[in-house]
Amino acid sequence: MRQKLENIRDEAIENISKVKDLDQLERLRLKYLGKKGELTQVLRGMGKLPAEDRPVMGQLANEVRYLIEEQMDEHKKNLEDKLLNYRLKLETIDVTVPGTNIERGNLHPLTSVLNEIIDIFIGMGFEIAEGPEVELDYYNFEALNIPKSHPSRDVQDTFYITDEILLRTHTSPVQVRTMEVQKPPIKIIVPGRVYRSDDVDATHSPIFHQVEGLVVDEHITMADLKGVLDVFVKELFGERTQTKFRPHYFPFTEPSMEVDATCVTCGGEGCRICSHTGWIEILGAGMIHPNVLKYGGIDSEKYSGFAFGLGLDRIANLKYGIDDIRLLYENDIRFLKQF
Ligand code: PHE
């Protein structure tokens, strides 16, 4: 029995020293000290020994058990320390390492100017409407009092998809679309993308943006048109900006006009931007033609209104001092970052 106990002791100590993880150690504990463990088995055989040998063997067995337990505890502590150190190392954050730089984006200049314009008109009680970019000839031309023979229908300017379907050349088709579904008072602006078959240069792009305005109610006069646009221009370009209303022709308004503002760059002195006139044209406008009201199903005896259309790209360029419309569409990050 002594031999057995000593074998168990030596083997256990040897095995414990080789253990690499806590699971393995637990398995060894069961192997030697568990209910069915080797040492326990030997102790069970104690009853068969002569009575005088029992105390000696009992003591030896206890020593062996104690020794194994001690070795296991010590080894366990070592393993746990190692594990802890390993975890700490993994989870350490080196606060001195330089961070990754996350670049902050910004709004496109067209978006910023549009937001500003929207704010100004919302402040005057306007609502925002939208319409399709792929449009019917009917809304883009016919219902705007532009007869089949009118030069602005020229295929040179208009992207036709079929005889009856085209890419809208302005945001004005939303005028009649809105009148069809909304009874006066109507007070909307319509921001949107428009298309014309122009060759690309510093001031032309086949895709550009307009903001349409439409007001229909009883007793609307040209004084309302002038008042609204004057406030708009002053809010957008500054209190000292003046406006000038020049006679013009649009088929869908009568009378029609173009509106100039004193040059943003020189304040009216005359400079390269305004071709030394002190004025820059910023939008087209007029009192809605009775025929257009009729197309919209609105009684032109009872109601009147005005409409205007401004080129967003041009306004953005003036506001930010950009001298080439192409820059707005090239999406060069070095350009866009500046706004
Ligand atoms: N639709 C016209 C254009 O594209 C602008 C305009 C809108 C003029 C509304 C008068 C009234 O040039």
Side-chain angles (χ1 to χ4, degrees):
M1 176 164 279
R2 174 183 292 276
Q3 190 56 47
K4 262 190 188 161
L5 284 171
E6 281 169 357
N7 282 348
I8 289 173
R9 182 191 66 197
D10 295 345
E11 191 195 294
I13 288 172
E14 161 96 14
N15 280 343
I16 290 168
S17 71
K18 288 185 195 150
V19 160
K20 293 238 162 46
D21 64 52
L22 293 169
D23 279 353
Q24 245 180 326
L25 194 66
E26 177 60 16
R27 260 179 269 127
L28 276 189
R29 203 182 62 76
L30 291 174
K31 176 173 157 72
Y32 295 113
L33 309 178
K35 269 199 183 119
K36 290 177 185 157
E38 289 177 24
L39 189 65
T40 319
Q41 300 288 357
V42 176
L43 288 174
R44 287 235 174 88
M46 199 78 100
K48 291 182 193 132
L49 288 179
E52 65 270 24
D53 289 345
R54 283 182 207 164
V56 189
M57 281 305 136
Q59 201 190 342
L60 182 64
N62 275 336
E63 277 169 20
V64 170
R65 163 180 278 273
Y66 182 74
L67 193 75
I68 293 175
E69 277 174 352
E70 197 182 47
Q71 291 287 317
M72 284 194 166
D73 284 350
E74 199 174 303
H75 202 73
K76 190 174 171 191
K77 204 176 163 304
N78 278 341
L79 285 175
E80 281 171 346
D81 280 355
K82 264 193 200 152
L83 196 66
L84 183 65
N85 281 334
Y86 177 68
R87 283 226 183 106
L88 285 175
K89 206 170 164 183
L90 269 191
E91 291 168 16
T92 301
I93 294 168
D94 182 352
V95 292
T96 65
V97 170
T100 28
N101 188 25
I102 299 170
E103 293 228 22
R104 189 143 176 255
N106 58 274
L107 294 178
H108 191 281
L110 282 174
T111 309
S112 305
V113 176
L114 178 59
N115 287 345
E116 238 181 280
I117 292 173
I118 286 173
D119 278 350
I120 295 171
F121 282 107
I122 295 268
M124 289 192 274
F126 283 70
E127 288 174 46
I128 296 175
E130 280 181 322
E133 290 173 25
V134 177
E135 184 55 283
L136 294 173
D137 177 283
Y138 174 78
Y139 288 108
N140 198 81
F141 294 128
E142 200 74 34
L144 288 170
N145 201 32
I146 305 175
K148 288 266 189 255
S149 58
H150 196 277
S152 68
R153 285 179 170 234
D154 198 331
V155 283
Q156 302 241 294
D157 295 334
T158 308
F159 288 112
Y160 277 95
I161 292 166
T162 68
D163 274 355
E164 295 303 325
I165 301 170
L166 45 76
L167 296 181
R168 67 178 177 192
T169 58
H170 50 180
T171 41
S172 301
V174 189
Q175 288 187 25
V176 172
R177 282 187 175 273
T178 305
M179 292 181 213
E180 281 180 346
V181 295
Q182 197 181 327
K183 292 298 133 215
I186 297 172
K187 218 175 160 188
I188 55 157
I189 56 165
V190 184
R193 199 176 281 154
V194 300
Y195 303 82
R196 281 183 210 174
S197 176
D198 282 329
D199 285 334
V200 178
D201 65 27
T203 55
H204 293 90
S205 161
I207 302 176
F208 57 106
H209 299 80
Q210 290 187 335
V211 179
E212 190 83 5
L214 176 72
V215 174
V216 184
D217 202 355
E218 287 179 63
H219 316 302
I220 298 291
T221 71
M222 220 169 94
D224 297 306
L225 180 161
K226 287 186 73 174
V228 164
L229 292 179
D230 199 55
V231 167
F232 164 67
V233 167
K234 284 187 161 59
E235 292 215 10
L236 189 65
F237 291 124
E239 198 50 43
R240 291 170 55 188
T241 315
Q242 289 178 302
T243 47
K244 183 162 78 177
F245 296 75
R246 267 187 298 108
H248 197 72
Y249 172 76
F250 296 107
F252 34 93
T253 47
E254 180 60 36
S256 301
M257 64 210 71
E258 277 187 333
V259 182
D260 297 346
T262 42
C263 179
V264 204
T265 313
C266 63
E269 296 278 300
C271 67
R272 198 176 52 85
I273 302 292
C274 58
S275 311
H276 302 282
T277 61
W279 294 96
I280 37 170
E281 182 223 311
I282 53 162
L283 50 86
M287 301 308 291
I288 301 166
H289 196 292
N291 286 352
V292 176
L293 290 172
K294 270 180 215 135
Y295 275 113
I298 287 175
D299 180 357
S300 62
E301 296 292 326
K302 187 173 178 202
Y303 296 104
S304 56
F306 65 86
F308 57 88
L310 59 87
L312 188 65
D313 310 73
R314 193 171 144 71
I315 301 230
N317 285 357
L318 285 170
K319 229 183 132 89
Y320 292 116
I322 300 165
D323 59 5
D324 192 327
I325 191 174
R326 288 170 288 199
L327 290 166
L328 296 175
Y329 296 98
E330 281 165 359
N331 284 333
D332 185 329
I333 203 96
R334 294 165 301 180
F335 168 76
L336 294 176
K337 254 183 173 171
Q338 301 171 49
F339 303 96

